Amino acid sequence: MGGDKIRKDRRQKREDYRRAIRQDGVSELPRKKFYRQRAHANPFSDHQLIYPPHPDQMDWSSLFPDYVVADEEPQQPRRQQPDSSAAAPASSGAELAPLQPKRLSKEVEIADIGCGFGGLLVALAPTLPDTLMLGLEIRVSVTQFVEDRIQALRAQARRAAEAAEAEAEAAGSSPPPPAPGMYRNVGVLRANAMKFLPNFFRKGQLSKIFICFPDPHFKARKHKQRIVSATLNSEYAYVLRPGGIVYTITDVPDLHEWMVRHFEAHPSFERVPEPEQEADPCVAIMRTETEEGKKVERNKGQKHVALFRRLEDPEW
């Protein structure tokens, strides 16, 4: 009974903290201890996820509101074209929503699969300010943490810009030109990439996919749950444009060899040579900015990196 009460109290404290931090808009960076969740989630379980039956039905406007294009006229309903690559739920039907979702001036180009607490996304956002990027995370509490973290960073950047403008006016100088809002180009979704990746992204939409410190699933009977496999690599090839890159990093040598072996065996990928890999600025960020990467650094572990380029489709 005592253990149940302690767990209940902890759960209530987490809920109270999250409610309080959102009351007046998220402005302070969230604290991880109120969003903790077990590290492993079974990707084959029914997590009651919400996902679009087709990428054309995905409404990105709530994630990237600064990039919404004002529609002159409501778009007319149209039927979804058959697409065997996007598995639709049985209840989705064959039609799109009566009106199409709001359009964005840009498309999402970068996906961080299993983004964890969002360290990579937050580091990449100012480095690639003109590129929309999305984190996909299956755990509820961790997804909420990243949502609150992004909102807090946006609020802090907005306040910093307002302070700089006020300071310029007080000094009698011209205010700095308006800059694109920091962290407006990053978003996060709770999703199961192993099941529904083609439901969110069209063929050839992405330029980069990051797979950082994925669950190793050490036991042989669990290898089917690894995020890299012959089947899943075909889905990565589908959503990546030719020339796009899959970035992988892990501290588990066996998993590194597994990922290299499976990508090199796939006809749509070739491994990026090491000199080119090390010259890629995203690799340095991937090594140092993820939470798992920092943990490996503290434990003086070794990080294994491999990049794979999407090849051009052969002429049939």
Side-chain angles (χ1 to χ4, degrees):
M1 291 295 291
D4 291 341
K5 185 178 186 305
I6 291 173
R7 283 192 292 271
K8 186 176 180 180
D9 290 344
R10 288 176 178 171
R11 190 182 308 115
Q12 188 62 48
K13 286 181 180 178
R14 289 196 295 267
E15 292 173 358
D16 291 344
Y17 173 83
R18 296 180 202 175
R19 192 180 304 112
I21 201 173
R22 294 185 178 199
Q23 272 182 350
D24 300 319
V26 180
S27 58
E28 66 174 63
L29 288 174
R31 297 161 65 187
K32 284 184 190 174
K33 72 175 186 178
F34 293 105
Y35 297 82
R36 291 292 181 189
Q37 190 171 348
R38 65 191 298 266
H40 305 286
N42 184 354
F44 299 138
S45 296
D46 181 7
H47 293 279
Q48 297 182 334
L49 299 168
I50 298 173
Y51 59 93
H54 188 277
D56 288 348
Q57 277 189 286
M58 180 59 195
D59 187 356
W60 299 104
S61 60
S62 61
L63 296 175
F64 306 101
D66 288 46
Y67 294 88
V68 172
V69 175
D71 290 329
E72 293 80 6
E73 295 180 1
Q75 299 182 36
Q76 296 300 313
R78 62 180 178 85
R79 282 191 169 273
Q80 172 182 324
Q81 297 299 318
D83 185 351
S84 59
S85 65
S91 60
S92 67
E95 290 188 345
L96 294 177
L99 293 178
Q100 296 298 298
K102 296 177 181 177
R103 294 184 300 113
L104 300 186
S105 59
K106 294 176 177 287
E107 286 191 322
V108 176
E109 286 190 38
I110 297 177
D112 182 7
I113 295 177
C115 67
F117 289 94
L120 178 68
L121 292 170
V122 167
L124 285 176
T127 306
L128 302 170
D130 298 322
T131 304
L132 299 190
M133 55 194 74
L134 180 74
L136 301 168
E137 174 59 49
I138 198 170
R139 293 169 292 173
V140 179
S141 295
V142 179
T143 305
Q144 290 176 347
F145 175 89
V146 182
E147 288 177 356
D148 291 346
R149 185 178 187 180
I150 291 170
Q151 292 300 323
L153 288 169
R154 288 177 178 177
Q156 290 177 2
R158 184 174 59 251
R159 288 201 302 270
E162 291 171 352
E165 184 177 349
E167 185 177 341
E169 289 180 355
S173 57
S174 301
M182 287 280 286
Y183 304 103
R184 302 286 172 175
N185 61 326
V186 61
V188 65
L189 273 178
R190 182 172 181 243
N192 185 344
M194 288 184 69
K195 288 185 177 182
F196 305 121
L197 196 67
N199 293 75
F200 293 99
F201 305 114
R202 294 181 295 95
K203 178 177 172 62
Q205 178 175 335
L206 299 180
S207 62
K208 299 180 190 294
I209 292 176
F210 288 88
I211 302 174
C212 300
F213 299 97
D215 193 328
H217 294 293
F218 289 108
K219 297 179 181 178
R221 63 185 177 84
K222 295 279 192 179
H223 285 180
K224 63 181 179 293
Q225 295 187 22
R226 286 181 169 177
I227 196 65
V228 169
S229 67
T231 301
L232 290 172
N233 289 356
S234 293
E235 294 200 358
Y236 303 145
Y238 177 83
V239 298
L240 266 178
R241 65 190 62 161
I245 302 291
V246 176
Y247 296 73
T248 70
I249 183 171
T250 179
D251 60 326
V252 181
D254 172 67
L255 180 59
H256 171 67
E257 293 169 6
W258 167 284
M259 293 192 290
V260 170
R261 186 167 68 250
H262 280 76
F263 272 112
E264 287 187 332
H266 198 285
S268 293
F269 290 99
E270 67 175 4
R271 188 166 181 180
V272 173
E274 189 166 346
E276 182 181 345
Q277 169 185 298
E278 296 307 311
D280 189 328
C282 294
V283 171
I285 294 173
M286 180 175 68
R287 277 199 175 106
T288 59
E289 296 301 327
T290 65
E291 282 73 17
E292 285 295 325
K294 293 175 181 177
K295 186 188 300 182
V296 173
E297 197 78 30
R298 290 194 299 270
N299 295 332
K300 303 188 184 306
Q302 188 174 1
K303 304 170 190 174
H304 306 276
V305 175
L307 274 56
F308 305 92
R309 180 182 290 107
R310 171 69 159 90
L311 299 172
E312 293 279 353
D313 291 326
E315 293 186 10
W316 298 100

mmCIF file of all heavy atoms in Angstrom, residues 272-280:
data_model
loop_
_atom_site.group_PDB
_atom_site.id
_atom_site.type_symbol
_atom_site.label_atom_id
_atom_site.label_comp_id
_atom_site.label_asym_id
_atom_site.label_seq_id
_atom_site.Cartn_x
_atom_site.Cartn_y
_atom_site.Cartn_z
ATOM 1 N N VAL A 272 28.378 6.688 -46.822
ATOM 2 C CA VAL A 272 29.099 7.936 -47.072
ATOM 3 C C VAL A 272 30.546 7.751 -46.609
ATOM 4 O O VAL A 272 30.777 7.307 -45.480
ATOM 5 C CB VAL A 272 28.432 9.107 -46.326
ATOM 6 C CG1 VAL A 272 29.261 10.373 -46.448
ATOM 7 C CG2 VAL A 272 27.008 9.329 -46.843
ATOM 8 N N PRO A 273 31.526 8.084 -47.435
ATOM 9 C CA PRO A 273 32.935 7.939 -47.024
ATOM 10 C C PRO A 273 33.233 8.755 -45.769
ATOM 11 O O PRO A 273 32.639 9.816 -45.534
ATOM 12 C CB PRO A 273 33.713 8.467 -48.234
ATOM 13 C CG PRO A 273 32.766 8.361 -49.386
ATOM 14 C CD PRO A 273 31.398 8.572 -48.816
ATOM 15 N N GLU A 274 34.174 8.274 -44.972
ATOM 16 C CA GLU A 274 34.465 8.907 -43.684
ATOM 17 C C GLU A 274 34.903 10.365 -43.806
ATOM 18 O O GLU A 274 34.465 11.204 -43.006
ATOM 19 C CB GLU A 274 35.504 8.097 -42.916
ATOM 20 C CG GLU A 274 35.678 8.584 -41.489
ATOM 21 C CD GLU A 274 36.436 7.609 -40.624
ATOM 22 O OE1 GLU A 274 36.606 6.451 -41.050
ATOM 23 O OE2 GLU A 274 36.875 8.012 -39.532
ATOM 24 N N PRO A 275 35.774 10.747 -44.771
ATOM 25 C CA PRO A 275 36.135 12.173 -44.868
ATOM 26 C C PRO A 275 34.919 13.069 -45.098
ATOM 27 O O PRO A 275 34.817 14.151 -44.492
ATOM 28 C CB PRO A 275 37.099 12.204 -46.068
ATOM 29 C CG PRO A 275 37.657 10.829 -46.141
ATOM 30 C CD PRO A 275 36.548 9.921 -45.720
ATOM 31 N N GLU A 276 34.003 12.633 -45.941
ATOM 32 C CA GLU A 276 32.783 13.416 -46.172
ATOM 33 C C GLU A 276 31.902 13.417 -44.933
ATOM 34 O O GLU A 276 31.284 14.429 -44.587
ATOM 35 C CB GLU A 276 32.025 12.827 -47.364
ATOM 36 C CG GLU A 276 30.768 13.601 -47.723
ATOM 37 C CD GLU A 276 30.021 12.983 -48.890
ATOM 38 O OE1 GLU A 276 30.601 12.132 -49.601
ATOM 39 O OE2 GLU A 276 28.841 13.346 -49.093
ATOM 40 N N GLN A 277 31.851 12.283 -44.256
ATOM 41 C CA GLN A 277 31.066 12.180 -43.024
ATOM 42 C C GLN A 277 31.562 13.166 -41.972
ATOM 43 O O GLN A 277 30.764 13.896 -41.360
ATOM 44 C CB GLN A 277 31.165 10.754 -42.487
ATOM 45 C CG GLN A 277 30.616 10.563 -41.073
ATOM 46 C CD GLN A 277 30.853 9.159 -40.561
ATOM 47 O OE1 GLN A 277 30.370 8.195 -41.124
ATOM 48 N NE2 GLN A 277 31.627 9.024 -39.480
ATOM 49 N N GLU A 278 32.861 13.211 -41.764
ATOM 50 C CA GLU A 278 33.415 14.070 -40.721
ATOM 51 C C GLU A 278 33.325 15.547 -41.082
ATOM 52 O O GLU A 278 33.407 16.408 -40.210
ATOM 53 C CB GLU A 278 34.863 13.679 -40.436
ATOM 54 C CG GLU A 278 35.013 12.262 -39.862
ATOM 55 C CD GLU A 278 34.130 12.042 -38.645
ATOM 56 O OE1 GLU A 278 34.139 12.884 -37.734
ATOM 57 O OE2 GLU A 278 33.413 11.018 -38.615
ATOM 58 N N ALA A 279 33.174 15.863 -42.372
ATOM 59 C CA ALA A 279 33.036 17.259 -42.786
ATOM 60 C C ALA A 279 31.601 17.757 -42.667
ATOM 61 O O ALA A 279 31.352 18.963 -42.790
ATOM 62 C CB ALA A 279 33.516 17.420 -44.235
ATOM 63 N N ASP A 280 30.670 16.871 -42.402
ATOM 64 C CA ASP A 280 29.262 17.246 -42.281
ATOM 65 C C ASP A 280 29.029 17.880 -40.911
ATOM 66 O O ASP A 280 29.233 17.229 -39.880
ATOM 67 C CB ASP A 280 28.385 15.998 -42.450
ATOM 68 C CG ASP A 280 26.903 16.323 -42.557
ATOM 69 O OD1 ASP A 280 26.452 17.311 -41.939
ATOM 70 O OD2 ASP A 280 26.194 15.594 -43.268
#
